[in-house]
Amino acid sequence: MTEERKETEDLLSMDLPALKAAVGALGEKSYRAEQIYGWLHRKLAGSWDEMTNVPAALREKMAARWPIGAPEQRALQISKIDGTRKYLFRMRDGNYVESVWMSYHHGNSVCISSQVGCRMGCTFCASTLLGLTRNLTPGEMLGQIYAISRDTGERVSNVVVMGTGEPLDNYENLVRFLRMLSDENGLHISERNITVSTCGLVPGIRRLAGEKLMINLALSLHAPDDVLRQRLMPVARAYRIPEIMDALRDYYRVNRRRLTFEYSLIRGVNDTDECAEKLAALLKGMNCLVNLIPVNPVTERGYRETRREGVLAFKKKLENHGIHVTIRREMGRDIDGACGQLRKRCTEMDQKA
Ligand code: SAH
């Protein structure tokens, strides 16, 4: 057991071996741990009482030491346009995180947060305005998905780690979360249906390649050169684009998953023809997809989104170079703009209270 593991141990963070050890310490047989694990991670039980085939005495002993600690739903906004659901959860220590549920024709997707706040400081992002409070545990990442699944009553088929936080800045917890999420004793979500989005922490990308997970990587690029990127993202001073591209190519060599580049279009900043040309040159020959996102205006920052014609022109330019491009469906635009803003408002309200 590593130090970090002891520190963060909560019930939903325990993988099956850890749960077996906990149940074994109470003098119980290990199949009891399998039953409990199934209740928690497959049947998504919200309370110990639901675990009807586990003896009441064991449930009581376990409950006294291990509260389920599921995130508590504090707010829910449902888009009138497309049914996208944005949840605000309160964690056991009173911190808030946001998660989003989206329904596509190919299934339901959940976008989760990996940290309370973020310390990467991207200038267009609301999630980083209050800095990093703490990492989320594997159980708190799973808990967001389980709570949403319970609330909607629908199966989740895709998971994207694209909410608040930099997942590779919470590496150990992220990887344990990924393994538990794809585990056949749990929700068993295919690694191919999981995407982790990073601002480009090179050591983390390299380490992740070594995990032999078949998950998809998305890189938040947002600028085709380091000068502009450094204006938008402080992390770009630590890791330069050529270094990041090398790490991504190596990642690709290991798991052969098509890479996604996220590019938030900010009017007059990174949406010029010159940017499109440079971006095309940078990505030439890669098996990749560029996801264009008109920037969600964050009032604190004063950036505006590229107009629709500009987005289409930028897309066309890239396509002329044979690059695959999608424009992010502007899901739930009516429910409170950029990610992180709902959490920020609630956190500030609590601080004032
Ligand atoms: N830290 C990770 C994941 C969280 S952010 C990362 O950087 O990838 C998820 C995506 O939303 C990133 O591409 C991020 O740059 C982008 N993003 C953040 N704020 C945004 C905004 N106001 N408008 C558009 N995209 C934004």
Side-chain angles (χ1 to χ4, degrees):
M1 245 188 224
T2 64
E3 260 328 288
E4 178 173 12
R5 183 153 181 162
K6 260 183 252 155
E7 230 174 78
T8 61
E9 210 70 293
D10 50 72
L11 183 66
L12 289 178
S13 290
M14 282 195 248
D15 53 18
L16 189 53
L19 192 62
K20 281 186 177 171
V23 167
L26 297 175
E28 299 278 347
K29 299 242 163 48
S30 84
Y31 79 94
R32 292 292 181 202
E34 281 162 23
Q35 286 178 322
I36 294 170
Y37 197 89
W39 277 108
L40 292 171
H41 297 278
R42 232 184 3 253
K43 298 183 205 159
L44 311 185
S47 74
W48 283 100
D49 298 338
E50 291 169 45
M51 306 185 194
T52 43
N53 61 353
V54 178
L58 173 58
R59 273 188 268 151
E60 269 166 40
K61 270 191 272 178
M62 289 295 288
R65 169 68 185 84
W66 309 102
I68 293 190
E72 183 193 328
Q73 185 175 317
R74 274 310 179 88
L76 167 62
Q77 298 177 321
I78 304 175
S79 165
K80 291 196 181 66
I81 303 169
D82 52 35
T84 293
R85 300 161 79 89
K86 186 184 268 192
Y87 291 85
L88 182 76
F89 292 115
R90 193 171 187 272
M91 298 294 156
R92 265 164 71 197
D93 63 354
N95 278 305
Y96 291 104
V97 306
E98 278 182 35
S99 331
V100 178
W101 179 92
M102 290 157 282
S103 173
Y104 295 94
H105 46 263
H106 60 262
N108 300 317
S109 181
V110 169
C111 172
I112 64 148
S113 295
S114 57
Q115 296 179 313
V116 180
C118 183
R119 56 176 179 160
M120 295 297 126
C122 298
T123 56
F124 45 81
C125 181
S127 294
T128 202
L129 290 168
L130 303 172
L132 174 69
T133 303
R134 67 169 176 86
N135 285 328
L136 291 180
T137 67
E140 288 171 327
M141 290 186 247
L142 291 168
Q144 296 169 60
I145 301 166
Y146 298 175
I148 290 177
S149 205
R150 276 199 298 270
D151 186 60
T152 60
E154 290 195 35
R155 186 177 154 75
V156 172
S157 49
N158 290 269
V159 171
V160 295
V161 188
M162 258 187 212
T164 295
E166 168 49 45
L168 298 183
D169 189 34
N170 182 15
Y171 188 89
E172 307 279 346
N173 288 333
L174 174 78
V175 168
R176 189 135 57 96
F177 157 75
L178 295 171
R179 293 201 191 285
M180 290 174 75
L181 183 63
S182 53
D183 189 292
E184 58 183 4
N185 296 304
L187 277 193
H188 200 189
I189 292 185
S190 161
E191 288 170 12
R192 291 174 172 73
N193 292 343
I194 304 174
T195 301
V196 169
S197 177
T198 176
C199 62
L201 302 185
V202 169
I205 296 172
R206 295 205 169 280
R207 213 172 145 195
L208 196 62
E211 305 284 350
K212 303 281 182 306
L213 287 161
M214 297 302 283
I215 56 162
N216 310 294
L217 260 195
L219 180 88
S220 298
L221 187 60
H222 306 314
D225 64 67
D226 278 314
V227 175
L228 180 54
R229 198 162 187 264
Q230 284 171 15
R231 261 177 61 198
L232 302 177
M233 304 170 72
V235 68
R237 287 183 220 128
Y239 303 107
R240 302 292 150 91
I241 292 175
E243 234 185 303
I244 298 173
M245 298 304 271
D246 271 354
L248 291 178
R249 282 194 199 91
D250 289 345
Y251 187 88
Y252 182 78
R253 245 172 249 129
V254 175
N255 83 353
R256 316 300 291 179
R257 307 292 301 155
R258 181 168 75 173
L259 295 159
T260 299
F261 291 92
E262 294 161 275
Y263 198 101
S264 298
L265 288 164
I266 310 170
R267 200 188 304 175
V269 175
N270 65 356
D271 63 352
T272 60
D273 284 355
E274 194 198 344
C275 283
E277 291 298 335
K278 277 192 188 167
L279 182 59
L282 181 69
L283 303 182
K284 203 176 162 62
M286 284 184 103
N287 180 8
C288 68
L289 172 78
V290 173
N291 194 206
L292 297 175
I293 316 153
V295 80
N296 252 308
V298 175
T299 43
E300 288 86 343
R301 302 296 198 189
Y303 290 140
R304 286 176 305 168
E305 76 262 40
T306 301
R307 292 196 184 88
R308 186 78 190 157
E309 318 83 76
V311 176
L312 294 174
F314 199 91
K315 176 171 188 261
K316 189 88 189 60
K317 273 229 171 302
L318 295 177
E319 284 172 343
N320 288 343
H321 289 274
I323 294 173
H324 297 284
V325 185
T326 54
I327 298 174
R328 185 176 296 173
R329 231 170 103 191
E330 295 178 44
M331 303 199 67
R333 269 268 157 150
D334 54 330
I335 51 169
D336 189 42
C339 320
Q341 287 178 344
L342 183 59
R343 173 190 148 256
K344 182 166 173 288
R345 251 206 326 274
C346 287
T347 307
E348 282 169 347
M349 252 155 42
D350 273 11
Q351 282 166 355
K352 278 186 202 125

